[in-house]
Amino acid sequence: MGSRTKIKTKKPMSLSLETIRIRHQVREWTQSGRKHWDIHRNLWNPFVLFDATRLVIKNAGSAGLDGESIQSLKGKEWEVAQSLSEELRQKKFSPHPVKRVFIPKRDKSLRPLGIPSVRDRIVQRALVLLLEPIYEQKFLDFSYGFRPKRRAVDCVAKVAESVYRHRHVLEADIEKFFDKVNHQKLLKFMGREVVDSRTLKLIGEYLRVGFIEPGKPWQRAQEGTPQGGPLSPLLANIYLHYALDERFNEVFGKSERVKIFRYADDFVVVAASKTDLDFAERLLRVWIKEADLNLKESKTRRIDMTNRARSHESKFDFLGFKIHLRSYEDNPNRFWIARQPSERSRRELKLRIREKVQPYLSLKAATLLLQQIWLGWCEYFRYSNANRVFYREADSVRKLAWRYLKENLGAPIIPFHIEGSLC
């Protein structure tokens, strides 16, 4: 396979001038300390809903319970925006229950995923367009998940850089976070900036609208922010900002001895000493409890990354990377902090190839798909100290591709090309 496959990256969609103007105005009002009482008035602006419709179409996805598909919106963006604008203006709009499906997690358990109707997704996306300029000014620098222009690899790089000077680490995960968010506390947190009762009422309806699982009746949502809608990630960040980030910043913000890095409900705390980490962990557990949440003990552990304590356990995984101690070649008694694809990420690469490349695919389609999977994996993990890992994985993926295609397609195999510039 001689031709090279380029990674298709989603280019940011340009918004209409009216939406840009509104977002800029919201940003300026937030900077001046003004509370927001007119979000709902901007929500029914047809231009905001038009841009939200285009963003929903670009993001694709499945149909909700009403069966309306993304494809049915194409070419009707302005018509849909005007229709939703009238419903919102005349107080006739109300959210629909979401379709709940379950997807497998890494630990083989099932994660509930809510699929809202297409029109609910549009209104949620419009809310994000209006709320994002407010909260992006409030969120702190150590928060990375679900935020514009903040990548997971940037968060991992900051963690690795900080661990070099803060060798005592707490790796933590909040148990079933998206299912356990307290609705009343979330709306109370939002009320610190948004005093528009209509907007808060609509968000409350989205939180409580409930879901329908296959073969089961409608169930009301008592807590949680159902994953799958455009609004859920922003609401999750707002909740953890006030429940955790702000409180951490009040205590440790001016100190260089303890730092935190959070990506959604996963976070890492690094400290200069064991005593500092003890103090930080005690406070964190109190704050998490007060937010009606719990740490997942099976994924929460402390790691001693000091040189004298170096062992097989002097490592931890974060956002797909393994962060560990590596000795200098010229001095085996000195160590630095390295990051590379974790063993789980390497296993999942091979598993994804086995799942995606099916016998019904043509030879050309199968080999192109293999290239895309490999290049996507390389693009994410290229920001690491992992040349040897890349060469080993390139070789194993190539062998897997040859064997799999030969066994399932019974065709002569064209050499599987690995993009050298990414390795």
Side-chain angles (χ1 to χ4, degrees), residues 253-315:
K254 296 180 180 179
S255 171
E256 287 296 319
R257 297 190 62 82
V258 181
K259 294 180 178 294
I260 188 173
F261 300 92
R262 183 175 66 80
Y263 194 94
D265 55 334
D266 293 333
F267 61 91
V268 169
V269 179
V270 299
S273 70
K274 181 178 179 298
T275 304
D276 291 327
L277 191 62
D278 289 340
F279 179 56
E281 183 178 358
R282 285 197 299 270
L283 288 178
L284 283 166
R285 288 185 179 276
V286 171
W287 296 335
I288 293 295
K289 200 71 178 176
E290 289 178 351
D292 293 334
L293 302 169
N294 292 293
L295 291 179
K296 190 170 185 178
E297 297 299 337
S298 61
K299 290 187 177 181
T300 300
R301 69 187 189 98
R302 296 173 62 148
I303 308 99
D304 189 342
M305 300 284 284
T306 57
N307 291 356
R308 66 176 179 275
R310 183 176 185 257
S311 69
H312 183 68
E313 297 301 317
S314 301
K315 63 182 179 182

Side-chain angles (χ1 to χ4, degrees), residues 87-356:
E87 288 184 43
L88 288 164
R89 188 194 301 270
Q90 297 176 17
K91 301 180 181 180
K92 294 181 179 179
F93 179 85
S94 60
H96 295 82
V98 302
K99 179 170 71 174
R100 174 174 275 191
V101 297
F102 293 88
I103 57 176
K105 297 172 64 176
R106 289 179 173 180
D107 58 4
K108 297 184 180 179
S109 63
L110 296 176
R111 182 199 302 272
L113 180 69
I115 304 177
S117 70
V118 171
R119 290 174 185 258
D120 279 328
R121 268 179 268 177
I122 293 171
V123 175
Q124 287 190 33
R125 177 59 66 185
L127 280 167
V128 172
L129 286 173
L130 297 172
L131 295 174
E132 194 176 68
I134 301 172
Y135 290 102
E136 274 302 306
Q137 297 180 68
K138 301 297 178 181
F139 293 156
L140 298 169
D141 286 342
F142 54 73
S143 169
Y144 283 82
F146 309 125
R147 295 183 59 190
K149 299 180 181 179
R150 283 178 169 257
R151 304 175 301 172
V153 291
D154 298 328
C155 186
V156 173
K158 282 290 185 182
V159 169
E161 179 185 344
S162 295
V163 171
Y164 188 78
R165 294 178 176 82
H166 303 75
R167 296 300 185 94
H168 296 270
V169 180
L170 173 68
E171 176 192 12
D173 180 29
I174 299 175
E175 185 174 14
K176 296 182 179 180
F177 167 68
F178 285 92
D179 301 331
K180 297 294 184 180
V181 169
N182 185 297
H183 293 169
Q184 290 183 338
K185 287 186 177 180
L186 173 58
L187 293 173
K188 186 177 179 181
F189 288 149
M190 295 193 69
R192 297 185 186 185
E193 298 297 329
V194 178
V195 294
D196 185 344
S197 60
R198 297 166 298 177
T199 299
L200 295 176
K201 180 176 181 291
L202 178 60
I203 293 173
E205 290 175 353
Y206 271 123
L207 291 171
R208 297 185 294 269
V209 71
F211 53 89
I212 296 179
E213 297 177 13
K216 294 184 179 180
W218 170 79
Q219 300 176 59
R220 178 178 291 276
Q222 302 295 337
E223 56 185 1
T225 59
Q227 298 181 70
L231 187 59
S232 180
L234 178 60
L235 296 181
N237 262 340
I238 293 171
Y239 194 82
L240 284 177
H241 169 74
Y242 290 107
L244 176 61
D245 297 357
E246 269 202 346
R247 304 184 75 175
F248 185 93
N249 197 54
E250 288 173 3
V251 178
F252 300 106
K254 296 180 180 179
S255 171
E256 287 296 319
R257 297 190 62 82
V258 181
K259 294 180 178 294
I260 188 173
F261 300 92
R262 183 175 66 80
Y263 194 94
D265 55 334
D266 293 333
F267 61 91
V268 169
V269 179
V270 299
S273 70
K274 181 178 179 298
T275 304
D276 291 327
L277 191 62
D278 289 340
F279 179 56
E281 183 178 358
R282 285 197 299 270
L283 288 178
L284 283 166
R285 288 185 179 276
V286 171
W287 296 335
I288 293 295
K289 200 71 178 176
E290 289 178 351
D292 293 334
L293 302 169
N294 292 293
L295 291 179
K296 190 170 185 178
E297 297 299 337
S298 61
K299 290 187 177 181
T300 300
R301 69 187 189 98
R302 296 173 62 148
I303 308 99
D304 189 342
M305 300 284 284
T306 57
N307 291 356
R308 66 176 179 275
R310 183 176 185 257
S311 69
H312 183 68
E313 297 301 317
S314 301
K315 63 182 179 182
F316 62 96
D317 292 352
F318 187 55
L319 303 180
F321 286 83
K322 179 177 74 173
I323 299 174
H324 62 109
L325 289 173
R326 182 180 291 179
S327 60
Y328 287 95
E329 292 184 3
D330 59 345
N331 188 348
N333 295 320
R334 294 182 63 237
F335 306 97
W336 57 288
I337 306 298
R339 61 187 188 275
Q340 65 185 53
S342 67
E343 283 78 4
R344 174 177 285 177
S345 298
R346 294 161 66 178
R347 289 195 302 270
E348 288 180 347
L349 168 65
K350 301 180 186 68
L351 180 62
R352 189 176 178 216
I353 290 174
R354 294 190 184 100
E355 290 177 344
K356 294 291 184 180

Side-chain angles (χ1 to χ4, degrees), residues 345-400:
S345 298
R346 294 161 66 178
R347 289 195 302 270
E348 288 180 347
L349 168 65
K350 301 180 186 68
L351 180 62
R352 189 176 178 216
I353 290 174
R354 294 190 184 100
E355 290 177 344
K356 294 291 184 180
V357 182
Q358 296 295 323
Y360 60 80
L361 294 174
S362 67
L363 176 61
K364 182 178 180 180
T367 49
L368 284 174
L369 182 57
L370 280 165
Q371 274 197 334
Q372 290 170 358
I373 293 172
W374 167 250
L375 290 175
W377 193 85
C378 287
E379 179 68 14
Y380 182 75
F381 289 108
R382 67 189 301 176
Y383 303 96
S384 62
N385 320 107
N387 281 347
R388 293 178 183 176
V389 173
F390 271 86
Y391 286 124
R392 284 198 296 269
E393 291 309 310
D395 187 56
S396 64
V397 170
R398 186 183 294 109
K399 290 177 180 177
L400 178 65

